[in-house]
Amino acid sequence: PAGTGKTVLLGQCARHAPTSIERLWLDLGGRSLTPAQLCERLAAAMRMSIDDASEAALLDALHERSGRLWIFIDDYPRQADEQLDACLDRLFAAAPQQITWWIASRRTPAWNLPRLLLQGDLLELHGEELALDETSLAELLAVLQVNLADDCRETLLARSEGWLAAIRLLLLDADEDALRQRLQDGCPVLRDYVQREVLADLDEELRSDLHALALLPRFSLSLCEHLLDGRGSQLLAELQRRQLFVRSLDSSGTWFRLWRPLAEVLRRMPGAPMPAPVHVRACQWFAQHGDIRKAVEHALQAGQVEVAVNYLQRFDQEQLLQGHSVAQLLQWREELPDWLFASSPRLIVLQAWALIICARFDEARACIQGLAHFMPQPDERRQSKLIAHWQALMGVLARQCGCRDARLHCQEALQVLDEGSWSQRVLCYQALAQQHMAEHALDQAKQALDQGLRLARLHGSLIFEALLNTDHCLLLQMRGEAGRSAELAEQSLALLRERFNHSPVVARLLLVRASLLARQGLNEAAQQAYRLGLQEAEHCEDAYIISGYLGMLELAESRGDLDEAHQWLQKAERVMQWSHVPEVRYRCVLQLQAGRLLLHQGQTGRARELFAQTLQQLQQRQQLAPSEFYDLLPCLRRYLAISDLLLGHHGAAEHALRLLLDECQFAGHLSLACECRVSLAEAMFVQGQQETADGLLQQALGEARQLRLLRPLQELLQRQEQWLERLLPGEVGQSLHQRLFEPAPRLDEPASAGTALLSSRELAVLQLIAQGGSNQEIADRLFISLHTVKTHARRINVKLGVQRRTQAVAMAKAQGLMGD
């Protein structure tokens, strides 16, 4: 495209040519030429006789040259000319190998570029590759001696997309204040440049089409056809041929957009067509193709508010979980008149779900009350359905707030909601599962998740399936199945990313994956994973972002960087407040983390007081843990016991830990049981019961190794380093992670057959085979494909040296790989 620095680049290449290479420069100025005129220009540059400047004579002269020659052709003719293109194409093909052609062009000539590419004879640079990046912009600013603040420099690069002409003209005789003003209000010099260098050669129809496309954040061939009365295909081909600042948004060449600086200039130009008709037609197209969010956006830009509200009623819960739809919907809610969003039960329900997703519970509750204005309904069926929607909303809202009446609301809603309201049914099942997890009724939680999962799959909803899997991953962690949890998170992420660029569900899965890495002590990988999750959660404005902040806090704490840990704690609180999230969603969780930091600093008395106060608040309010923090209450009890232990109240600490350990074992909460066993072992050690303490810690070490759980041992290492070193020895320089998960084999103990022979996933498949499960049942239980089950079964047979499933089970039992 124009203004990307083509001439400057060619000039630099010419100046850097070795002295042994002859250089020939032709500036064609973009003007049209016949093939004969081109040959004459080349002949003159080569000092040939003008009387004999035919194509054949030119080729003869090139072949007679013995040395290397670089021919530079700058600003190739801009108007399409098949004969001229064919002439130069023949010269490329017939010229000797020592000739190198350097050509700058604003359009894509009709040359046989694929052939040259296959032969390895072509280097092609596009406008995007010539755009400035951060490094080259910094170099340019240094040369120009222009100092810009970081935010101003980032804005300049983003708004210009690295277009050199735009950057140079925006910076022309401008300090930082002038640049900010030009970025906000437009730059007259840049507008004049676009008018003369980009638009002057275009006919009126093409200019009008460009103005229309400048109003669209993206466009496709089909949308252009609808927008421009059937000229879309011709327009796109012309834009691409002329290199008119078109950027492809996907690898399939379906979606495009104009470069931002060109689009901004076009929108500000006097005489540009009225935008309303363009947005109306775009609204129609997006509505026809099911993209309701885009249809609403264009309807609002066209000034047709009632049309936008009509389309809003087609929104559903699935669309709310895509991209930043929640933030967009709530922004519309702020900008449009209140009566519009209160005009129908469907719109009230929709915005209530959006408010719940971003944890604005007080606003959600007030919004839900608006359903009362539509009571009673004309008939009993519609009356029951509206009440069921109210129950579903209140149930999910109550669960998010930790209220115990969530179960009743959800169960009553499920009795009434029909298949047409399947998405609300899925959310009710998820709320029930979360309620059971908060109560540590893990089997019931699994049943509720399975019911929701079947419903999501029945309706082919990938995003709702992944939403349920976020809680299923947490459930698997609680049950000590970290490997399955990690595999499920990866599978869900892989499937989601095939369909959605951004989603709150993607953010939650990324944060789950990060927590799985952190619990194993893989701090560097966990930190990178947390950053990805935080970035996605910030993009989608999802309230689950708090788990990312607290995860980063724990990583900083494990490094001993308590200042950074406090900063993450403060940021978590600040963001929750900025996002209008009620304290019931996060306050107790933050108090738990604050208490842990106090313990780490040695302020045990203050820590105990904070743990006791927080636990008492939850118990007095009969409040369950908020979503994603299902271990909040037992964790408070464990840290309260640890505080008592450190304060010398050994008997009280031991009693509390034994009680909590029994409860966790009874509930099947193996991860927390392991943490309690480590703490109980420490209590025995502090009381001088060495043999009992050693036995408990050895048992806990075995459990931690099996559960891939390092976190409780990291805490123990801070307080009882020598004891842990004795029971978990390692080589010099080995990390705690290596000592636990990569122990050196003892000389008197051969590696177990299970460790040497079958992987953990193969053992899981074999266990289900032994229980009589079919391949499909095993696939459903382990959340893997049927093909993967068959692959595991085949590998099991090969490793065990058998041919049939029954033989594999018998051999595994004989070798001690499975229980009786």
PDB file of all heavy atoms in Angstrom, residues 783-811:
ATOM      1  N   PHE A 783     -14.241 -39.102  30.275  1.00  0.00           N
ATOM      2  CA  PHE A 783     -14.326 -37.905  29.435  1.00  0.00           C
ATOM      3  C   PHE A 783     -13.249 -37.915  28.349  1.00  0.00           C
ATOM      4  O   PHE A 783     -12.545 -36.929  28.119  1.00  0.00           O
ATOM      5  CB  PHE A 783     -14.223 -36.626  30.283  1.00  0.00           C
ATOM      6  CG  PHE A 783     -15.397 -36.416  31.177  1.00  0.00           C
ATOM      7  CD1 PHE A 783     -15.402 -36.923  32.463  1.00  0.00           C
ATOM      8  CD2 PHE A 783     -16.508 -35.736  30.728  1.00  0.00           C
ATOM      9  CE1 PHE A 783     -16.489 -36.738  33.286  1.00  0.00           C
ATOM     10  CE2 PHE A 783     -17.599 -35.535  31.555  1.00  0.00           C
ATOM     11  CZ  PHE A 783     -17.596 -36.043  32.828  1.00  0.00           C
ATOM     12  N   ILE A 784     -13.099 -39.055  27.703  1.00  0.00           N
ATOM     13  CA  ILE A 784     -12.184 -39.171  26.580  1.00  0.00           C
ATOM     14  C   ILE A 784     -12.947 -39.780  25.413  1.00  0.00           C
ATOM     15  O   ILE A 784     -14.061 -40.277  25.571  1.00  0.00           O
ATOM     16  CB  ILE A 784     -10.933 -40.028  26.921  1.00  0.00           C
ATOM     17  CG1 ILE A 784     -11.356 -41.426  27.397  1.00  0.00           C
ATOM     18  CG2 ILE A 784     -10.086 -39.346  27.966  1.00  0.00           C
ATOM     19  CD1 ILE A 784     -10.186 -42.323  27.758  1.00  0.00           C
ATOM     20  N   SER A 785     -12.341 -39.780  24.233  1.00  0.00           N
ATOM     21  CA  SER A 785     -13.042 -40.293  23.054  1.00  0.00           C
ATOM     22  C   SER A 785     -13.008 -41.818  23.028  1.00  0.00           C
ATOM     23  O   SER A 785     -12.170 -42.467  23.678  1.00  0.00           O
ATOM     24  CB  SER A 785     -12.388 -39.751  21.781  1.00  0.00           C
ATOM     25  OG  SER A 785     -11.100 -40.320  21.622  1.00  0.00           O
ATOM     26  N   LEU A 786     -13.912 -42.386  22.242  1.00  0.00           N
ATOM     27  CA  LEU A 786     -13.963 -43.845  22.082  1.00  0.00           C
ATOM     28  C   LEU A 786     -12.657 -44.350  21.473  1.00  0.00           C
ATOM     29  O   LEU A 786     -12.122 -45.398  21.866  1.00  0.00           O
ATOM     30  CB  LEU A 786     -15.155 -44.207  21.189  1.00  0.00           C
ATOM     31  CG  LEU A 786     -15.474 -45.703  21.030  1.00  0.00           C
ATOM     32  CD1 LEU A 786     -15.806 -46.322  22.373  1.00  0.00           C
ATOM     33  CD2 LEU A 786     -16.637 -45.887  20.054  1.00  0.00           C
ATOM     34  N   HIS A 787     -12.122 -43.586  20.537  1.00  0.00           N
ATOM     35  CA  HIS A 787     -10.871 -43.977  19.892  1.00  0.00           C
ATOM     36  C   HIS A 787      -9.728 -44.032  20.914  1.00  0.00           C
ATOM     37  O   HIS A 787      -8.891 -44.944  20.887  1.00  0.00           O
ATOM     38  CB  HIS A 787     -10.521 -42.975  18.782  1.00  0.00           C
ATOM     39  CG  HIS A 787      -9.164 -43.179  18.184  1.00  0.00           C
ATOM     40  ND1 HIS A 787      -8.876 -44.212  17.331  1.00  0.00           N
ATOM     41  CD2 HIS A 787      -8.011 -42.480  18.356  1.00  0.00           C
ATOM     42  CE1 HIS A 787      -7.598 -44.145  16.981  1.00  0.00           C
ATOM     43  NE2 HIS A 787      -7.053 -43.106  17.588  1.00  0.00           N
ATOM     44  N   THR A 788      -9.702 -43.072  21.847  1.00  0.00           N
ATOM     45  CA  THR A 788      -8.651 -43.046  22.868  1.00  0.00           C
ATOM     46  C   THR A 788      -8.752 -44.263  23.786  1.00  0.00           C
ATOM     47  O   THR A 788      -7.734 -44.853  24.172  1.00  0.00           O
ATOM     48  CB  THR A 788      -8.742 -41.749  23.689  1.00  0.00           C
ATOM     49  OG1 THR A 788      -8.649 -40.628  22.800  1.00  0.00           O
ATOM     50  CG2 THR A 788      -7.631 -41.668  24.712  1.00  0.00           C
ATOM     51  N   VAL A 789      -9.976 -44.661  24.146  1.00  0.00           N
ATOM     52  CA  VAL A 789     -10.164 -45.852  24.984  1.00  0.00           C
ATOM     53  C   VAL A 789      -9.592 -47.079  24.276  1.00  0.00           C
ATOM     54  O   VAL A 789      -8.869 -47.890  24.875  1.00  0.00           O
ATOM     55  CB  VAL A 789     -11.656 -46.064  25.303  1.00  0.00           C
ATOM     56  CG1 VAL A 789     -11.855 -47.384  26.043  1.00  0.00           C
ATOM     57  CG2 VAL A 789     -12.196 -44.916  26.136  1.00  0.00           C
ATOM     58  N   LYS A 790      -9.922 -47.242  22.999  1.00  0.00           N
ATOM     59  CA  LYS A 790      -9.422 -48.406  22.256  1.00  0.00           C
ATOM     60  C   LYS A 790      -7.900 -48.389  22.174  1.00  0.00           C
ATOM     61  O   LYS A 790      -7.257 -49.450  22.260  1.00  0.00           O
ATOM     62  CB  LYS A 790     -10.041 -48.413  20.853  1.00  0.00           C
ATOM     63  CG  LYS A 790     -11.549 -48.658  20.847  1.00  0.00           C
ATOM     64  CD  LYS A 790     -12.109 -48.597  19.428  1.00  0.00           C
ATOM     65  CE  LYS A 790     -13.613 -48.851  19.427  1.00  0.00           C
ATOM     66  NZ  LYS A 790     -14.198 -48.753  18.061  1.00  0.00           N
ATOM     67  N   THR A 791      -7.334 -47.196  21.998  1.00  0.00           N
ATOM     68  CA  THR A 791      -5.868 -47.095  21.942  1.00  0.00           C
ATOM     69  C   THR A 791      -5.244 -47.520  23.265  1.00  0.00           C
ATOM     70  O   THR A 791      -4.262 -48.281  23.299  1.00  0.00           O
ATOM     71  CB  THR A 791      -5.454 -45.653  21.606  1.00  0.00           C
ATOM     72  OG1 THR A 791      -6.010 -45.297  20.339  1.00  0.00           O
ATOM     73  CG2 THR A 791      -3.935 -45.522  21.544  1.00  0.00           C
ATOM     74  N   HIS A 792      -5.822 -47.046  24.379  1.00  0.00           N
ATOM     75  CA  HIS A 792      -5.305 -47.435  25.700  1.00  0.00           C
ATOM     76  C   HIS A 792      -5.425 -48.944  25.895  1.00  0.00           C
ATOM     77  O   HIS A 792      -4.491 -49.602  26.402  1.00  0.00           O
ATOM     78  CB  HIS A 792      -6.072 -46.715  26.803  1.00  0.00           C
ATOM     79  CG  HIS A 792      -5.673 -45.283  26.989  1.00  0.00           C
ATOM     80  ND1 HIS A 792      -4.361 -44.876  27.037  1.00  0.00           N
ATOM     81  CD2 HIS A 792      -6.418 -44.153  27.150  1.00  0.00           C
ATOM     82  CE1 HIS A 792      -4.299 -43.569  27.223  1.00  0.00           C
ATOM     83  NE2 HIS A 792      -5.539 -43.098  27.284  1.00  0.00           N
ATOM     84  N   ALA A 793      -6.567 -49.522  25.518  1.00  0.00           N
ATOM     85  CA  ALA A 793      -6.771 -50.962  25.689  1.00  0.00           C
ATOM     86  C   ALA A 793      -5.760 -51.764  24.881  1.00  0.00           C
ATOM     87  O   ALA A 793      -5.225 -52.782  25.351  1.00  0.00           O
ATOM     88  CB  ALA A 793      -8.195 -51.327  25.287  1.00  0.00           C
ATOM     89  N   ARG A 794      -5.484 -51.301  23.672  1.00  0.00           N
ATOM     90  CA  ARG A 794      -4.504 -52.011  22.832  1.00  0.00           C
ATOM     91  C   ARG A 794      -3.108 -51.932  23.449  1.00  0.00           C
ATOM     92  O   ARG A 794      -2.376 -52.920  23.487  1.00  0.00           O
ATOM     93  CB  ARG A 794      -4.513 -51.397  21.435  1.00  0.00           C
ATOM     94  CG  ARG A 794      -3.614 -52.119  20.448  1.00  0.00           C
ATOM     95  CD  ARG A 794      -3.845 -51.630  19.011  1.00  0.00           C
ATOM     96  NE  ARG A 794      -3.524 -50.209  18.869  1.00  0.00           N
ATOM     97  CZ  ARG A 794      -4.435 -49.261  18.712  1.00  0.00           C
ATOM     98  NH1 ARG A 794      -5.712 -49.565  18.680  1.00  0.00           N
ATOM     99  NH2 ARG A 794      -4.052 -47.996  18.582  1.00  0.00           N
ATOM    100  N   ARG A 795      -2.743 -50.772  23.972  1.00  0.00           N
ATOM    101  CA  ARG A 795      -1.421 -50.631  24.592  1.00  0.00           C
ATOM    102  C   ARG A 795      -1.303 -51.477  25.860  1.00  0.00           C
ATOM    103  O   ARG A 795      -0.240 -52.033  26.161  1.00  0.00           O
ATOM    104  CB  ARG A 795      -1.162 -49.163  24.912  1.00  0.00           C
ATOM    105  CG  ARG A 795      -0.910 -48.296  23.684  1.00  0.00           C
ATOM    106  CD  ARG A 795      -0.773 -46.841  24.060  1.00  0.00           C
ATOM    107  NE  ARG A 795      -0.502 -46.016  22.889  1.00  0.00           N
ATOM    108  CZ  ARG A 795      -0.562 -44.688  22.883  1.00  0.00           C
ATOM    109  NH1 ARG A 795      -0.880 -44.038  23.985  1.00  0.00           N
ATOM    110  NH2 ARG A 795      -0.301 -44.011  21.776  1.00  0.00           N
ATOM    111  N   ILE A 796      -2.392 -51.549  26.620  1.00  0.00           N
ATOM    112  CA  ILE A 796      -2.389 -52.379  27.834  1.00  0.00           C
ATOM    113  C   ILE A 796      -2.101 -53.829  27.465  1.00  0.00           C
ATOM    114  O   ILE A 796      -1.274 -54.508  28.103  1.00  0.00           O
ATOM    115  CB  ILE A 796      -3.742 -52.259  28.571  1.00  0.00           C
ATOM    116  CG1 ILE A 796      -3.879 -50.848  29.185  1.00  0.00           C
ATOM    117  CG2 ILE A 796      -3.877 -53.323  29.647  1.00  0.00           C
ATOM    118  CD1 ILE A 796      -5.275 -50.542  29.685  1.00  0.00           C
ATOM    119  N   ASN A 797      -2.771 -54.333  26.434  1.00  0.00           N
ATOM    120  CA  ASN A 797      -2.565 -55.721  26.010  1.00  0.00           C
ATOM    121  C   ASN A 797      -1.118 -55.959  25.585  1.00  0.00           C
ATOM    122  O   ASN A 797      -0.511 -56.980  25.916  1.00  0.00           O
ATOM    123  CB  ASN A 797      -3.510 -56.075  24.863  1.00  0.00           C
ATOM    124  CG  ASN A 797      -4.955 -56.181  25.310  1.00  0.00           C
ATOM    125  OD1 ASN A 797      -5.237 -56.216  26.511  1.00  0.00           O
ATOM    126  ND2 ASN A 797      -5.883 -56.228  24.358  1.00  0.00           N
ATOM    127  N   VAL A 798      -0.559 -54.988  24.843  1.00  0.00           N
ATOM    128  CA  VAL A 798       0.824 -55.144  24.381  1.00  0.00           C
ATOM    129  C   VAL A 798       1.783 -55.158  25.567  1.00  0.00           C
ATOM    130  O   VAL A 798       2.690 -56.002  25.648  1.00  0.00           O
ATOM    131  CB  VAL A 798       1.185 -54.006  23.398  1.00  0.00           C
ATOM    132  CG1 VAL A 798       2.681 -54.011  23.099  1.00  0.00           C
ATOM    133  CG2 VAL A 798       0.391 -54.151  22.103  1.00  0.00           C
ATOM    134  N   LYS A 799       1.600 -54.229  26.510  1.00  0.00           N
ATOM    135  CA  LYS A 799       2.509 -54.141  27.651  1.00  0.00           C
ATOM    136  C   LYS A 799       2.432 -55.377  28.556  1.00  0.00           C
ATOM    137  O   LYS A 799       3.445 -55.800  29.136  1.00  0.00           O
ATOM    138  CB  LYS A 799       2.199 -52.886  28.457  1.00  0.00           C
ATOM    139  CG  LYS A 799       2.595 -51.577  27.769  1.00  0.00           C
ATOM    140  CD  LYS A 799       2.313 -50.378  28.656  1.00  0.00           C
ATOM    141  CE  LYS A 799       2.791 -49.077  27.988  1.00  0.00           C
ATOM    142  NZ  LYS A 799       2.566 -47.899  28.853  1.00  0.00           N
ATOM    143  N   LEU A 800       1.228 -55.924  28.690  1.00  0.00           N
ATOM    144  CA  LEU A 800       1.064 -57.081  29.560  1.00  0.00           C
ATOM    145  C   LEU A 800       1.270 -58.394  28.825  1.00  0.00           C
ATOM    146  O   LEU A 800       1.241 -59.461  29.443  1.00  0.00           O
ATOM    147  CB  LEU A 800      -0.330 -57.056  30.208  1.00  0.00           C
ATOM    148  CG  LEU A 800      -0.607 -55.868  31.145  1.00  0.00           C
ATOM    149  CD1 LEU A 800      -2.025 -55.948  31.699  1.00  0.00           C
ATOM    150  CD2 LEU A 800       0.392 -55.826  32.294  1.00  0.00           C
ATOM    151  N   GLY A 801       1.446 -58.339  27.510  1.00  0.00           N
ATOM    152  CA  GLY A 801       1.702 -59.539  26.721  1.00  0.00           C
ATOM    153  C   GLY A 801       0.507 -60.459  26.612  1.00  0.00           C
ATOM    154  O   GLY A 801       0.653 -61.696  26.614  1.00  0.00           O
ATOM    155  N   VAL A 802      -0.690 -59.887  26.515  1.00  0.00           N
ATOM    156  CA  VAL A 802      -1.919 -60.688  26.399  1.00  0.00           C
ATOM    157  C   VAL A 802      -2.670 -60.255  25.149  1.00  0.00           C
ATOM    158  O   VAL A 802      -2.281 -59.306  24.468  1.00  0.00           O
ATOM    159  CB  VAL A 802      -2.809 -60.512  27.650  1.00  0.00           C
ATOM    160  CG1 VAL A 802      -2.082 -61.010  28.896  1.00  0.00           C
ATOM    161  CG2 VAL A 802      -3.220 -59.048  27.824  1.00  0.00           C
ATOM    162  N   GLN A 803      -3.770 -60.970  24.851  1.00  0.00           N
ATOM    163  CA  GLN A 803      -4.530 -60.676  23.638  1.00  0.00           C
ATOM    164  C   GLN A 803      -5.948 -60.213  23.922  1.00  0.00           C
ATOM    165  O   GLN A 803      -6.574 -59.573  23.069  1.00  0.00           O
ATOM    166  CB  GLN A 803      -4.574 -61.917  22.728  1.00  0.00           C
ATOM    167  CG  GLN A 803      -3.201 -62.319  22.193  1.00  0.00           C
ATOM    168  CD  GLN A 803      -3.276 -63.521  21.286  1.00  0.00           C
ATOM    169  OE1 GLN A 803      -4.240 -64.287  21.325  1.00  0.00           O
ATOM    170  NE2 GLN A 803      -2.260 -63.707  20.463  1.00  0.00           N
ATOM    171  N   ARG A 804      -6.493 -60.567  25.120  1.00  0.00           N
ATOM    172  CA  ARG A 804      -7.894 -60.236  25.396  1.00  0.00           C
ATOM    173  C   ARG A 804      -8.002 -59.421  26.680  1.00  0.00           C
ATOM    174  O   ARG A 804      -7.114 -59.446  27.543  1.00  0.00           O
ATOM    175  CB  ARG A 804      -8.727 -61.512  25.512  1.00  0.00           C
ATOM    176  CG  ARG A 804      -8.852 -62.254  24.187  1.00  0.00           C
ATOM    177  CD  ARG A 804      -9.929 -63.335  24.272  1.00  0.00           C
ATOM    178  NE  ARG A 804      -9.571 -64.389  25.228  1.00  0.00           N
ATOM    179  CZ  ARG A 804      -8.816 -65.429  24.923  1.00  0.00           C
ATOM    180  NH1 ARG A 804      -8.339 -65.574  23.693  1.00  0.00           N
ATOM    181  NH2 ARG A 804      -8.542 -66.338  25.844  1.00  0.00           N
ATOM    182  N   ARG A 805      -9.143 -58.730  26.807  1.00  0.00           N
ATOM    183  CA  ARG A 805      -9.388 -57.869  27.967  1.00  0.00           C
ATOM    184  C   ARG A 805      -9.367 -58.666  29.270  1.00  0.00           C
ATOM    185  O   ARG A 805      -8.786 -58.228  30.270  1.00  0.00           O
ATOM    186  CB  ARG A 805     -10.742 -57.156  27.822  1.00  0.00           C
ATOM    187  CG  ARG A 805     -10.780 -56.148  26.699  1.00  0.00           C
ATOM    188  CD  ARG A 805     -12.219 -55.858  26.237  1.00  0.00           C
ATOM    189  NE  ARG A 805     -13.037 -55.237  27.260  1.00  0.00           N
ATOM    190  CZ  ARG A 805     -13.361 -53.933  27.276  1.00  0.00           C
ATOM    191  NH1 ARG A 805     -12.912 -53.145  26.323  1.00  0.00           N
ATOM    192  NH2 ARG A 805     -14.121 -53.440  28.224  1.00  0.00           N
ATOM    193  N   THR A 806     -10.020 -59.811  29.274  1.00  0.00           N
ATOM    194  CA  THR A 806     -10.081 -60.619  30.504  1.00  0.00           C
ATOM    195  C   THR A 806      -8.685 -61.072  30.924  1.00  0.00           C
ATOM    196  O   THR A 806      -8.363 -61.109  32.116  1.00  0.00           O
ATOM    197  CB  THR A 806     -10.987 -61.837  30.287  1.00  0.00           C
ATOM    198  OG1 THR A 806     -10.549 -62.540  29.101  1.00  0.00           O
ATOM    199  CG2 THR A 806     -12.434 -61.415  30.093  1.00  0.00           C
ATOM    200  N   GLN A 807      -7.832 -61.406  29.924  1.00  0.00           N
ATOM    201  CA  GLN A 807      -6.465 -61.794  30.242  1.00  0.00           C
ATOM    202  C   GLN A 807      -5.694 -60.611  30.837  1.00  0.00           C
ATOM    203  O   GLN A 807      -4.885 -60.786  31.753  1.00  0.00           O
ATOM    204  CB  GLN A 807      -5.761 -62.303  28.983  1.00  0.00           C
ATOM    205  CG  GLN A 807      -6.323 -63.608  28.426  1.00  0.00           C
ATOM    206  CD  GLN A 807      -5.686 -63.972  27.092  1.00  0.00           C
ATOM    207  OE1 GLN A 807      -5.303 -63.089  26.331  1.00  0.00           O
ATOM    208  NE2 GLN A 807      -5.590 -65.266  26.813  1.00  0.00           N
ATOM    209  N   ALA A 808      -5.948 -59.405  30.308  1.00  0.00           N
ATOM    210  CA  ALA A 808      -5.252 -58.221  30.811  1.00  0.00           C
ATOM    211  C   ALA A 808      -5.604 -57.964  32.269  1.00  0.00           C
ATOM    212  O   ALA A 808      -4.731 -57.651  33.093  1.00  0.00           O
ATOM    213  CB  ALA A 808      -5.613 -57.007  29.956  1.00  0.00           C
ATOM    214  N   VAL A 809      -6.898 -58.107  32.616  1.00  0.00           N
ATOM    215  CA  VAL A 809      -7.321 -57.898  34.001  1.00  0.00           C
ATOM    216  C   VAL A 809      -6.668 -58.917  34.921  1.00  0.00           C
ATOM    217  O   VAL A 809      -6.133 -58.586  35.991  1.00  0.00           O
ATOM    218  CB  VAL A 809      -8.854 -57.966  34.111  1.00  0.00           C
ATOM    219  CG1 VAL A 809      -9.287 -57.931  35.564  1.00  0.00           C
ATOM    220  CG2 VAL A 809      -9.498 -56.809  33.336  1.00  0.00           C
ATOM    221  N   ALA A 810      -6.666 -60.192  34.498  1.00  0.00           N
ATOM    222  CA  ALA A 810      -6.075 -61.243  35.327  1.00  0.00           C
ATOM    223  C   ALA A 810      -4.576 -61.025  35.514  1.00  0.00           C
ATOM    224  O   ALA A 810      -4.039 -61.175  36.619  1.00  0.00           O
ATOM    225  CB  ALA A 810      -6.335 -62.614  34.687  1.00  0.00           C
ATOM    226  N   MET A 811      -3.878 -60.665  34.425  1.00  0.00           N
ATOM    227  CA  MET A 811      -2.442 -60.451  34.504  1.00  0.00           C
ATOM    228  C   MET A 811      -2.118 -59.255  35.408  1.00  0.00           C
ATOM    229  O   MET A 811      -1.165 -59.292  36.195  1.00  0.00           O
ATOM    230  CB  MET A 811      -1.878 -60.212  33.106  1.00  0.00           C
ATOM    231  CG  MET A 811      -0.370 -59.987  33.064  1.00  0.00           C
ATOM    232  SD  MET A 811       0.590 -61.413  33.593  1.00  0.00           S
ATOM    233  CE  MET A 811       0.313 -62.497  32.164  1.00  0.00           C
TER     234      MET A 811
END
